């Protein structure tokens, strides 16, 4: 069976380092591994509209931001098809058929949907489109016969729901769809990177994100004002590394080589943590080190983003071509789905014959 990747992001803002360690970095590695027959990366504008119906302009503006972030990270349009969800209308038709295979109570139990409903204060008035987006996400994945879905850990319930839909579809209508598997980071810290303020979630409204588009100055300023251990007041005080955002980011980003380059008094992160816990190591020093580590990782991304920023019309053109290719692929799956459901009436010579005989006989 062909190995195929499908994944994507909602274009509601620029992508940040949480997206990067949570999934983007892995996608680029998988792309460059050469182990996949086809890679589709989708800008999920239709899904973004499910909770932004009154603000389509926000989505419209952010499509290019997400595309720039993708290209900046090293997704290569020669190897990967990048496309826009709404330009593939087959996805909505698939969703409509899959809706019949899912119950309301099953959707209500989806932990990610539950959590998002709470965060958006939707409890009393959930838009139907938002409530059913896990079904449309199953359509996104299956339309491309994806075997592999690299995503952030919060998306696991979506993939599980998609797998259930596939099994149900195949059981009712015969073997047609491919059951996907999620790929999440092995490093648990990368699965859920906190905001710079130590809050569990990075969000634009909290102003606690480091964006891939941030300048070196913005990055430095954000790192130097990161939340650490509030009880670590004097350098000589023993400090706590758990819940200390600087150490959490180091857990996500730093490798032993970084010590040789930027902080050679320590052999590795364990040695740095030990000193911090004992006392005698100041926050400014660990923040400067983190800044160097992040700068090493993010500077090439920033540069590529600036370079692509000079080629905007080309990016729209590659999105257009990608969307056309994605549409053609999804159309093939939709044809299989209609055939499996036997709603392909006009291709069905047996049906016409059967009904003719019934009426003549
Ligand atoms: N739900 C994803 C997000 O919040 C975006 C998305 C839409 C997606 N369809 C998908 C991810 C299919 C993986 C596979 O960013």
């Amino acid at each position: 069976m062909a190995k195929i990747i499908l994944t994507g992001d909602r274009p509601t803002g620029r992508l940040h380092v949480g997206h990067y360690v949570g999934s983007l970095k892995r996608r680029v590695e998988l792309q460059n591994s050469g182990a996949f027959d086809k890679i589709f990366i989708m800008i999920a504008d239709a899904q973004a509209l499910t909770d932004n119906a009154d603000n389509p302009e926000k989505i419209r503006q952010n499509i290019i931001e997400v595309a720039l972030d993708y290209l900046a990270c090293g997704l290569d349009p020669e190897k990967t098809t990048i496309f826009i969800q709404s330009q593939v209308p087959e996805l909505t038709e698939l969703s409509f058929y899959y809706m019949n295979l899912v119950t309301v109570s099953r959707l209500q139990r989806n932990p990610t949907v539950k959590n998002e409903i709470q965060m958006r204060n939707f409890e009393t008035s959930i838009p139907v489109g938002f409530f059913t987006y896990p079904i449309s996400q199953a359509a996104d994945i299956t339309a491309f016969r994806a075997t592999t879905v690299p995503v952030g850990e919060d998306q696991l319930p979506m993939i599980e729901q998609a797998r259930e839909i596939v099994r149900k579809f195949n059981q009712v209508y015969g073997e047609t769809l491919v059951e996907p598997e999620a790929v999440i980071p092995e490093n648990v810290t990368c699965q859920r990177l906190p905001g710079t303020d130590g809050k569990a979630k990075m969000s634009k409204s909290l102003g606690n994100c480091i964006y891939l588009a941030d300048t070196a100055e913005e990055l430095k300023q954000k790192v130097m004002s990161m939340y650490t251990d509030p009880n670590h007041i004097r350098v000589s005080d023993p400090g706590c590394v758990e819940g200390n955002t600087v150490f959490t980011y180091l857990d996500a980003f730093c490798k032993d080589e970084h010590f040789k380059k930027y902080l050679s008094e320590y052999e590795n992160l364990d040695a740095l943590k030990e000193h911090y816990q004992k006392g005698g190591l100041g926050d400014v020093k660990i923040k400067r080190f983190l800044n160097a580590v992040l700068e090493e990782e993010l500077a090439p991304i920033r540069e590529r983003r600036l370079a692509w920023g000079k080629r905007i019309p080309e990016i729209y053109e590659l999105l257009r071509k990608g969307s056309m290719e994605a549409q053609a692929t999804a159309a093939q799956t939709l044809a299989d789905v209609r055939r499996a459901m036997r709603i392909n009436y006009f291709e069905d010579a047996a049906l016409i014959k059967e009904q003719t005989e019934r009426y003549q006989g």
Side-chain angles (χ1 to χ4, degrees):
M1 193 173 51
K3 291 181 73 181
I4 299 173
I5 290 180
L6 176 290
T7 186
D9 300 273
R10 296 180 193 169
T12 52
R14 290 178 167 177
L15 301 180
H16 51 61
V17 290
H19 295 115
Y20 180 68
V21 292
S23 173
L24 284 174
K25 194 175 171 168
R26 187 65 162 271
R27 296 178 199 173
V28 176
E29 285 163 10
L30 294 176
Q31 167 194 273
N32 295 338
S33 75
F36 289 86
D37 298 293
K38 204 62 224 156
I39 305 176
F40 294 96
I41 308 279
M42 180 182 78
I43 302 181
D45 64 333
Q47 188 177 109
L49 285 166
T50 65
D51 64 333
N52 288 283
D54 53 356
N55 198 359
E57 188 56 23
K58 173 168 126 189
I59 310 307
R60 181 170 174 267
Q61 292 297 330
N62 278 304
I63 285 175
I64 195 73
E65 299 296 336
V66 171
L68 279 166
D69 286 326
Y70 284 165
L71 295 164
C73 286
L75 287 176
D76 175 354
E78 301 279 315
K79 298 180 185 150
T80 293
T81 303
I82 307 177
F83 72 98
I84 304 177
Q85 185 182 27
S86 63
Q87 305 308 297
V88 183
E90 282 75 5
L91 299 175
T92 53
E93 187 174 334
L94 282 176
S95 305
F96 198 64
Y97 301 139
Y98 295 173
M99 282 187 187
N100 305 327
L101 307 175
V102 180
T103 63
V104 169
S105 64
R106 175 62 184 88
L107 283 173
Q108 276 165 336
R109 269 188 283 121
N110 184 310
T112 303
V113 175
K114 248 185 174 163
N115 184 19
E116 286 176 319
I117 286 172
Q118 237 170 35
M119 274 176 4
R120 289 167 177 69
N121 296 319
F122 273 169
E123 279 96 339
T124 51
S125 59
I126 311 169
V128 173
F130 181 79
F131 184 61
T132 57
Y133 92 73
I135 300 173
S136 110
Q137 193 154 334
D140 302 337
I141 296 167
T142 54
F144 299 93
R145 302 172 206 281
T147 50
T148 311
V149 187
V151 277
E153 174 262 2
D154 64 314
Q155 295 293 304
L156 286 179
M158 299 299 154
I159 315 303
E160 194 42 50
Q161 183 121 44
R163 290 165 62 92
E164 283 176 36
I165 291 172
V166 168
R167 288 196 290 263
K168 181 86 185 176
F169 188 101
N170 288 347
Q171 177 211 324
V172 176
Y173 303 114
E175 205 61 30
T176 312
L177 302 175
V178 176
E179 205 171 314
E181 255 167 54
V183 172
I184 61 168
E186 277 139 32
N187 179 337
V188 288
T189 312
C190 294
Q191 292 175 11
R192 242 166 222 268
L193 200 66
T196 53
D197 56 358
K199 297 240 169 67
K201 203 161 161 69
M202 247 185 264
S203 101
K204 191 161 64 197
S205 53
L206 293 173
N208 61 358
C209 307
I210 295 176
Y211 293 100
L212 298 173
D214 281 350
T215 63
E217 295 72 46
E218 285 165 330
L219 172 65
K220 183 160 185 208
Q221 187 266 321
K222 288 180 185 181
V223 171
M224 296 314 284
S225 56
M226 257 186 182
Y227 177 84
T228 60
D229 170 6
N231 299 315
H232 184 245
I233 296 161
R234 263 160 287 162
V235 172
S236 56
D237 292 340
C240 189
V241 300
E242 284 84 35
N244 182 322
T245 321
V246 175
F247 282 101
T248 308
Y249 274 61
L250 286 173
D251 279 328
F253 283 94
C254 135
K255 303 186 202 88
D256 289 354
E257 301 94 85
H258 289 131
F259 283 92
K260 285 188 202 77
K261 254 178 153 163
Y262 305 116
L263 204 62
S264 56
E265 318 110 87
Y266 301 91
E267 199 180 334
N268 55 32
L269 190 52
D270 288 335
L272 188 75
K273 283 183 180 174
E274 207 182 298
H275 189 185
Y276 192 81
Q277 285 166 318
K278 234 182 3 192
L281 175 57
D283 283 355
V284 171
K285 189 157 173 178
I286 57 168
K287 285 176 171 174
R288 286 214 176 110
F289 175 57
L290 174 62
N291 185 56
V293 169
L294 286 176
E295 183 59 22
E296 183 175 313
E297 185 98 22
L298 299 180
I301 294 176
R302 184 190 302 134
E303 273 157 37
R304 271 197 299 267
R305 203 179 195 282
L306 286 172
W308 275 106
K310 302 196 174 86
R311 303 164 65 183
I312 299 296
E314 250 177 276
I315 299 179
Y316 279 106
E317 184 54 24
L318 73 85
L319 292 174
R320 193 179 69 80
K321 288 210 180 108
S323 299
M324 282 171 62
E325 191 196 331
Q327 192 268 327
T329 307
Q332 287 173 15
T333 304
L334 181 59
D336 291 350
V337 160
R338 289 177 171 209
R339 209 172 303 121
M341 294 174 71
R342 308 196 65 187
I343 57 173
N344 58 331
Y345 312 114
F346 305 125
E347 289 175 9
D348 192 349
L351 172 68
I352 300 167
K353 188 159 171 272
E354 185 187 313
Q355 300 298 353
T356 309
E357 279 165 10
R358 202 159 65 87
Y359 267 85
Q360 287 170 349

